[in-house]
Amino acid sequence: MTPQFNIFKSIDKTVLLLFLAMVTIGWFNIFASEYTEAHRHIFDLGTSYGKQLVWILGAFVLAAAVLTIDIRFFTSFAWVIYVSLLVVLIGVLFFGVEINATRAWFRVGGFAFQPSEIAKYGTILALASMISRTRVKKPDISARMKAFGIILLPAMLVLLQKDVGTTLVFSSFILVLFREGYTGGLVLFFGVVAVSLFVLTLIFNEFIIIGALAAITLIIGFLMRKKSRVIPQLIGLFMLLAVFVYSVDYTFDNILQPHHKARIEVLVYGGADLQGAGYNLHQSKIAIGSGGFAGKGFLQGTQTQFNFIPEQSTDFIFCTVGEEWGFIGSLVIIGLYTSLMIRLLYLAEKQRSVFSRVFGYATTSILFFHFAINIGMTIGLVPVIGIPLPLISYGGSSLWGVTLMLFTFLKLDAHRFEMI
Amino acid sequence: MQIQHNPGQFSNRRKIVAGIILATSLLLLVQLFLLQIADSSYKTSALSNYLRYVTDYPSRGLIYDRNEDLLVYNEAHYDLMVIPGQVSELDTLEFCDLLGIEVAAFESRLLQARQYSRFRPSVFERQISKTTFAAFQEKLFRYPGFFVQPRTLRKYTYPIATHTFGYVGEAGPNVISNDPYYRPGDYIGVSGVERAYEEQLRGQKGVRIRMVDVHNRDAGSFQEGRYDTLAVAGKDLYATLDGELQLYGERLMQNKRGSIVAIEPSTGEILSLVTSPAFDPGLLVGRQRTRNYRMLQNDSLNPLFNRALMAQYPPGSVFKIINTLIALQEGVINPQTSYGCGGIYHTTGISIRCRSHPSPVNAITGIQYSCNTFSSIIFQNTINQSKFENIQESLQQWRDYVTSFGLGSPFGSDLSYELSGLVVTPDYYDRLYGPRGWRSQTILSLGIGQGELGVTPLQLANMTAAVANRGYYITPHMVKAIDTPDNQNNQFGLANNIEIDREHFETMAEAMRRVMAEGTGSFSAIPDIETAGKTGTVQNPHGENHSVFVAFAPVDDPQIAISVVVENAGYGSVWAAPIASLMIEKYLTREVNRAWFEQRILDASFLTAHPEDAQ
């Protein structure tokens, strides 16, 4: 390390500015979501926007702290952090408090904290460490098993907290594994095929789907008849998909919980139950849809101001953006997010150390999953899964978790010419 | 020390990852574009989410009589409303005790309301009494989710003129789909004056636009009430009715089937419109209405039937007034022309009986003694006039005279459910007998007011008013003034002239005066009031004859023209005439001094013989 190293010269200004912009926009939208005529002081800790201000200041302190830490700390203590977070995740199962049927919170004073948000950070560290130490050109089966194990262990613990949303976030690491060659493109391809078939089977009769699959198989088989070698593979694939389709109804009826089923049904069959499972999505679409091109203006959203949408400052914060700022606001948020993610990818690819690159990819993947699922659910593209929109939604755990990831990566990036 | 850049052998996959991110962003933007720009329906949904249109109901106009006595007014009632979503723990037992309902009923009503909507008010109990309301008012704060909504119901000073006032009911689906003013649950005049003057009586609803939050809690008025409209109270009506006379008429008609219609000839204002049997107008108000209506529908005396406007009788002898006037106008007779009567009139193939009376008779004495022979001769002569090429033309001209008295069609004024009556046309006989198949003697019964004639009591009274006016009538109507007593209701003010000379009407007035002074109606002569009248006895093939009488008084300055029909009561002179005479006395002197005469009417009952029974 050069003695005159100045972190403020080396830090990536683009990411820093995007971070500040999104946190600021987020705070104003939280303010709008919770604002009432009989409003209190903006620093009132009894309001969520007052609390969020404290969380944001805390995030700045956290960011500053991370930037001063020696980068070797992250590599050296990756596993220590990972293991201690696993312990915390186990601890929260016994000592945590229950909020919204999810036992995932520690409470200190008026502030509640969710360790699973930080657990993602530990997982990234462990994953980055493990992959960077695996010095093989092509990951063998044991390396793959290790990588999956590192991800699945915390994911299972979070699932035990009955926090399905956060559990699903861990699946975003598939992008990292893909980039690093731990999974092939086929996994992604079959993931897409499986989800499509799942939805199609819920809409159409399973035998129609199987029939269609058979027809497609025959056509492909006919086109590839010269290569007799692929025919058995094709038939095997068809059998596999047929069994999958056949099992969808069973899975849906017997494995998923009722409120999960209801949320999927709302999406697949349209908003029939507007007072029940479909209420949130319906009101959310009304809020965003009624925003029009330019929105109703700050604090002028009727859906927002009259509290038609539950959880609006947290998971449904995008409704406030859509209603009060319209399509312009949506465009800005999506633009900021996309720029942030692409910039992070670009930086990750510039890293000389595998550790930093994996860290960058993992951070991007997690942001991407939150971004796609959170906005997707408010506009009816994916089922309602309760995860926040990082940097925008109300909530300290999420904000601190993302701040920790982003600034760790910025720190790593600032030192990318150094050996770690 | 610096290290080499080591992208790894899978570095090409970075493009796929970036592609997935960009594609997802694009997908989100497309969906946002569809929601926010392409589809405008969400704007409406957002508006209906938070805006509530609260209707302010104006009070319905009151109805006074011609002397400005209040007859119909409003009384506040209270509906207990519930918003199920706001109901929290309450002392159910105490609540049910206050309301006088079972706990099971409480739960089922709450469930019903919840099924309608958790956040919108439903009626929990309709029209709770004043005492219940008072008890509730004190404890309402202990029952969150419940509130009391004031409504008004019609009340009546006297239980009279039910058919005339009509009633007010909830607007049905037909009305609602045809008239945007009405919403489900709104009230509308269903019949009578309430219907005819609905627009004036109802006033104008006001709308306040309130904002509500997700729990349907009021969050203030929308844009400081810029789009709110004030309710405009309904206008009061001043009926042409004389409340006291109406009340008296209904008393006289108790235990009788029939009607009384009294008109002020100079204005066409209906002074009283009695149909009997009637019922208390209060029966068709409020939550008992449906039950009461069904009860009235099933009543064999048919009290819902407004005889004054809907019963059609052959006019009988009172029709001789019109036939005599036509004969005089046509020059078939002059006031001196007289014919002998031997108690029976014979013509080709037909004979008509008469009663014994001095003979010969002329136009005046013919009316005075109600001579059938004289009437038959002048009717035949009217029809057989040589100036007509055929009997069709002749009967048509006769018919034009008759209808000019207001017979054969409804007046179409502010009265509900009038029937048109019947005045036969030449076509009818052509179809029945063939164009050459009928003669004046074929239709001779028209000459004495029988045969193919149907007249309502209202038409009879109006015809009498036309004689009282010596040649014209003003369309009879029910409402004298709107809003203030001075704001005259002029829409029916035009005179309907009859093409018969005034001198003939003077002759008729004299004839009718003699009916009362020394003729068939002398039994009912009123001391000190010179009255003109004509008796009638309508043949009823189904039972006892109907007693009919028409009159006006005073002869030289007519203030009242009246028709009375008492079904199954026999001779007109015996029952209908005394009733008319009492009514005239009551109206002109405000009191009745013939106690025994009055008591005889009050005691009489003709309800035992149903015409339906004989059929």
Side-chain angles (χ1 to χ4, degrees):
Chain A
M1 199 199 280
T2 40
Q4 293 82 28
F5 181 80
N6 185 347
I7 186 69
F8 294 106
K9 274 187 184 163
S10 321
I11 195 168
D12 187 76
K13 306 294 185 305
T14 311
V15 173
L16 190 64
L17 284 176
L18 286 169
F19 170 81
L20 289 173
M22 287 161 80
V23 169
T24 309
I25 289 174
W27 186 82
F28 276 103
N29 281 295
I30 294 164
F31 181 75
S33 305
E34 300 284 320
Y35 173 81
T36 52
E37 288 281 343
H39 71 106
R40 288 175 280 193
H41 198 269
I42 57 165
F43 294 107
D44 190 335
L45 292 187
T47 63
S48 54
Y49 46 87
K51 283 186 195 170
Q52 185 71 1
L53 219 48
V54 175
W55 287 119
I56 290 172
L57 291 176
F60 290 165
V61 173
L62 184 68
V66 169
L67 291 179
T68 58
I69 291 173
D70 191 306
I71 52 165
R72 272 160 301 200
F73 170 83
F74 301 112
T75 45
S76 317
F77 285 87
W79 289 98
V80 178
I81 294 169
Y82 179 71
V83 172
S84 23
L85 279 170
L86 288 184
V87 173
V88 173
L89 284 181
I90 294 168
V92 81
L93 285 175
F94 296 100
F95 308 110
V97 290
E98 203 163 306
I99 295 177
N100 295 336
T102 304
R103 185 176 282 280
W105 302 80
F106 283 125
R107 192 191 287 279
V108 183
F111 295 83
F113 189 80
Q114 201 175 4
S116 55
E117 289 293 336
I118 313 295
K120 295 174 208 161
Y121 180 71
T123 310
I124 296 174
L125 283 177
L127 192 65
S129 173
M130 179 258 147
I131 292 176
S132 64
R133 285 183 197 179
T134 309
R135 306 222 176 260
V136 285
K137 277 206 164 177
K138 208 177 168 190
D140 54 14
I141 187 78
S142 77
R144 293 180 189 203
M145 295 294 280
K146 266 190 214 162
F148 277 104
I150 287 169
I151 297 165
L152 282 177
L153 204 56
M156 287 304 131
L157 287 172
V158 174
L159 189 60
L160 285 177
Q161 299 168 2
K162 295 181 202 148
D163 186 351
V164 177
T166 308
T167 308
L168 288 173
V169 173
F170 284 87
S171 69
S172 64
F173 287 123
I174 201 95
L175 283 178
V176 184
L177 298 180
F178 173 69
R179 164 62 183 86
E180 295 302 324
Y182 279 65
T183 60
L186 272 180
V187 174
L188 280 182
F189 173 74
F190 281 116
V192 173
V193 169
V195 170
S196 314
L197 282 179
F198 187 85
V199 173
L200 284 173
T201 311
L202 290 178
I203 298 174
F204 301 106
N205 186 300
E206 54 205 294
F207 295 105
I208 294 176
I209 305 291
I210 293 174
L213 284 175
I216 293 168
T217 310
L218 281 177
I219 292 166
I220 296 175
F222 179 76
L223 291 175
M224 301 180 92
R225 62 190 183 280
K226 298 274 165 58
K227 297 181 183 172
S228 54
R229 193 166 56 82
V230 300
I231 300 294
Q233 287 176 13
L234 208 57
I235 293 172
L237 184 64
F238 166 71
M239 302 280 275
L240 202 68
L241 290 177
V243 170
F244 173 77
V245 166
Y246 199 70
S247 66
V248 163
D249 277 337
Y250 178 82
T251 314
F252 191 73
D253 290 339
N254 298 294
I255 295 180
L256 288 181
Q257 289 189 15
H259 68 277
H260 294 139
K261 269 160 57 176
R263 287 170 182 179
I264 293 170
E265 276 170 347
V266 163
L267 206 63
V268 173
Y269 303 116
D273 182 13
L274 297 184
Q275 292 300 326
Y279 176 82
N280 245 15
L281 175 59
H282 181 64
Q283 294 297 344
S284 162
K285 282 167 92 171
I286 289 176
I288 295 170
S290 65
F293 181 74
K296 299 176 187 170
F298 186 53
L299 300 184
Q300 301 302 312
T302 55
Q303 291 283 99
T304 304
Q305 299 308 323
F306 296 124
N307 305 323
F308 283 94
I309 305 146
E311 308 285 335
Q312 193 170 353
S313 61
T314 54
D315 298 348
F316 281 86
I317 190 72
F318 193 73
C319 295
T320 312
V321 178
E323 187 183 23
E324 299 198 341
W325 305 103
F327 186 68
I328 300 285
S330 308
L331 202 65
V332 167
I333 292 289
I334 288 176
L336 287 174
Y337 247 101
T338 312
S339 310
L340 179 64
M341 291 185 292
I342 295 298
R343 179 70 185 169
L344 288 175
L345 279 192
Y346 170 77
L347 292 180
E349 285 296 338
K350 283 208 312 193
Q351 300 307 310
R352 306 200 163 187
S353 85
V354 177
F355 182 90
S356 301
R357 184 175 71 219
V358 171
F359 199 99
Y361 260 88
T363 303
T364 311
S365 303
I366 285 175
L367 284 177
F368 172 66
F369 189 86
H370 276 270
F371 162 75
I373 299 298
N374 180 283
I375 296 181
M377 80 180 176
T378 61
I379 56 179
L381 285 179
V382 295
V384 173
I385 295 165
I387 57 173
L389 187 60
L391 305 180
I392 311 281
S393 286
Y394 167 75
S397 315
S398 164
L399 177 62
W400 283 15
V402 173
T403 305
L404 205 53
M405 284 178 223
L406 273 180
F407 281 85
T408 303
F409 180 65
L410 285 182
K411 175 75 179 173
L412 292 171
D413 174 61
H415 294 270
R416 66 176 176 266
F417 299 108
E418 296 172 29
M419 180 70 178
I420 51 171
Chain B
M1 173 187 162
Q2 293 194 344
I3 55 160
Q4 290 301 302
H5 187 205
N6 171 27
Q9 76 175 117
F10 298 100
S11 98
N12 275 339
R13 289 186 173 180
R14 69 180 192 275
K15 292 173 187 161
I16 295 176
V17 175
I20 290 172
I21 290 174
L22 291 174
T24 306
S25 299
L26 195 65
L27 181 69
L28 293 176
L29 278 179
V30 167
Q31 171 78 347
L32 281 163
F33 176 84
L34 292 177
L35 278 182
Q36 299 190 289
I37 296 176
D39 188 343
S40 61
S41 70
Y42 291 102
K43 288 201 168 69
T44 329
S45 304
L47 286 180
S48 64
N49 252 352
Y50 85 103
L51 294 185
R52 294 284 175 274
Y53 294 80
V54 182
T55 308
D56 286 336
Y57 288 93
S59 62
R60 202 170 169 84
L62 310 180
I63 304 178
Y64 295 89
D65 82 345
R66 64 188 296 110
N67 303 317
E68 293 170 41
D69 284 341
L70 185 60
L71 295 183
V72 184
Y73 57 101
N74 300 311
E75 194 180 72
H77 275 246
Y78 306 94
D79 282 356
L80 182 64
M81 311 291 287
V82 63
I83 300 174
Q86 296 175 8
V87 175
S88 59
E89 295 227 334
L90 57 95
D91 187 341
T92 318
L93 262 178
E94 183 195 59
F95 184 92
C96 293
D97 234 32
L98 266 179
L99 212 57
I101 59 169
E102 303 280 315
V103 176
F106 171 86
E107 269 152 17
S108 75
R109 285 183 200 186
L110 200 57
L111 185 73
Q112 208 183 347
R114 190 173 290 131
Q115 278 165 351
Y116 164 67
S117 167
R118 273 173 55 76
F119 302 109
R120 296 201 182 157
S122 307
V123 179
F124 189 83
E125 171 90 354
R126 257 178 230 290
Q127 293 156 32
I128 57 177
S129 68
K130 268 184 203 157
T131 37
T132 313
F133 172 66
F136 246 101
Q137 193 78 320
E138 286 171 23
K139 298 187 172 166
L140 212 54
F141 71 96
R142 280 158 63 181
Y143 310 128
F146 287 90
F147 68 97
V148 171
Q149 171 146 336
R151 285 179 193 275
T152 57
L153 289 177
R154 283 307 215 193
K155 289 289 271 187
Y156 302 88
T157 316
Y158 312 105
I160 56 166
T162 305
H163 293 88
T164 303
F165 296 140
Y167 66 97
V168 174
E170 269 186 35
N174 272 342
V175 174
I176 291 166
S177 59
N178 290 328
D179 186 342
Y181 181 84
Y182 296 98
R183 295 283 152 82
D186 283 4
Y187 287 105
I188 185 173
V190 177
S191 66
V193 168
E194 299 275 18
R195 181 163 92 156
Y197 292 89
E198 165 67 11
E199 266 183 52
Q200 288 89 338
L201 286 169
R202 77 183 179 197
Q204 191 68 37
K205 282 189 286 192
V207 174
R208 282 177 294 133
I209 310 176
R210 307 293 296 177
M211 300 186 292
V212 296
D213 70 2
V214 66
H215 301 300
N216 213 25
R217 284 183 302 224
D218 194 289
S221 72
F222 179 62
Q223 305 215 346
E224 285 91 43
R226 196 172 304 160
Y227 301 103
D228 296 0
T229 54
L230 283 175
V232 180
K235 290 181 176 143
D236 297 341
L237 295 185
Y238 293 84
T240 58
L241 281 187
D242 182 317
E244 216 178 311
L245 186 66
Q246 176 77 21
L247 186 63
Y248 186 60
E250 296 201 10
R251 262 184 75 211
L252 293 178
M253 288 302 286
Q254 69 192 12
N255 298 323
K256 300 164 193 72
R257 210 185 338 255
S259 46
I260 304 173
V261 180
I263 296 175
E264 184 176 68
S266 58
T267 58
E269 292 171 3
I270 297 173
L271 302 172
S272 96
L273 193 77
V274 177
T275 175
S276 181
F279 57 95
D280 184 341
L283 289 178
L284 292 187
V285 174
R287 56 177 173 181
Q288 303 298 332
R289 184 178 62 232
T290 313
R291 213 188 61 190
N292 288 337
Y293 192 85
R294 205 164 295 139
M295 179 194 82
L296 292 164
Q297 251 180 337
N298 293 333
D299 190 328
S300 65
L301 294 172
N302 203 1
L304 290 172
F305 184 61
N306 187 359
R307 291 183 153 71
L309 307 183
M310 301 175 79
Q312 306 180 91
Y313 312 93
S317 298
V318 297
F319 197 67
K320 289 170 183 166
I321 295 171
I322 292 181
N323 273 340
T324 306
L325 283 168
I326 296 171
L328 285 167
Q329 177 67 19
E330 286 292 297
V332 172
I333 53 168
N334 62 46
Q336 285 72 46
T337 311
S338 56
Y339 299 103
C341 171
I344 190 155
Y345 173 67
H346 293 288
T347 183
T348 328
I350 193 166
S351 46
I352 287 179
R353 299 173 64 82
C354 192
R355 288 170 300 138
S356 73
H357 57 77
S359 178
V361 293
N362 58 22
I364 289 179
T365 48
I367 291 293
Q368 184 182 338
Y369 302 125
S370 196
C371 177
N372 284 346
T373 305
F374 183 81
S375 295
S376 303
I377 293 168
I378 63 169
F379 178 70
Q380 271 200 295
N381 291 348
T382 302
I383 297 299
N384 292 339
Q385 284 180 84
S386 55
K387 65 173 176 174
F388 297 116
E389 285 186 8
N390 53 44
I391 193 168
Q392 282 82 3
E393 217 176 274
S394 162
L395 187 70
Q396 185 58 48
Q397 200 219 19
W398 172 85
R399 188 179 191 276
D400 291 343
Y401 276 119
V402 173
T403 53
S404 72
F405 281 85
L407 271 51
S409 58
F411 292 106
S413 63
D414 50 9
L415 299 155
S416 297
Y417 308 120
E418 275 179 275
L419 289 193
S420 59
L422 168 72
V423 180
V424 74
T425 60
D427 287 354
Y428 175 82
Y429 292 121
D430 283 351
R431 281 198 303 275
L432 198 63
Y433 303 113
R436 298 182 173 281
W438 51 288
R439 302 281 179 271
S440 62
Q441 59 268 27
T442 322
I443 58 173
L444 191 56
S445 54
L446 296 179
I448 55 165
Q450 299 286 345
E452 289 81 4
L453 288 170
V455 181
T456 66
L458 175 66
Q459 288 170 338
L460 278 179
N462 181 66
M463 175 199 91
T464 312
V467 178
N469 286 338
R470 300 348 189 225
Y472 69 93
Y473 71 87
I474 311 287
T475 303
H477 55 275
M478 246 5 278
V479 171
K480 191 174 160 65
I482 297 169
D483 205 14
T484 65
D486 304 325
N487 184 25
Q488 290 290 325
N489 181 21
N490 288 326
Q491 50 179 323
F492 309 112
L494 286 178
N496 299 275
N497 290 311
I498 297 163
E499 300 293 317
I500 292 176
D501 298 341
R502 185 178 175 94
E503 55 176 305
H504 303 313
F505 279 104
E506 294 291 1
T507 305
M508 182 52 62
E510 170 60 15
M512 289 170 71
R513 189 190 63 77
R514 289 215 209 166
V515 169
M516 297 305 286
E518 50 203 88
T520 52
S522 55
F523 170 62
S524 302
I526 310 160
D528 304 328
I529 298 173
E530 208 173 27
T531 307
K534 178 72 195 82
T535 58
T537 305
V538 175
Q539 291 166 24
N540 175 16
H542 308 301
E544 186 70 37
N545 289 343
H546 301 320
S547 176
V548 177
F549 189 74
V550 299
F552 63 89
V555 175
D556 293 326
D557 177 25
Q559 302 292 314
I560 178 171
I562 191 168
S563 76
V564 177
V565 177
V566 186
E567 291 184 12
N568 313 113
Y571 290 113
S573 56
V574 182
W575 297 108
I579 291 173
S581 126
L582 287 166
M583 288 291 283
I584 292 169
E585 186 183 5
K586 177 78 177 172
Y587 181 66
L588 294 179
T589 67
R590 307 314 292 179
E591 58 186 348
V592 170
N593 290 317
R594 293 173 288 167
W596 71 268
F597 194 81
E598 180 183 50
Q599 197 57 46
R600 172 177 169 269
I601 299 297
L602 292 175
D603 291 344
S605 169
F606 298 103
L607 286 184
T608 40
H610 290 185
E612 290 85 1
D613 295 345
Q615 280 174 358

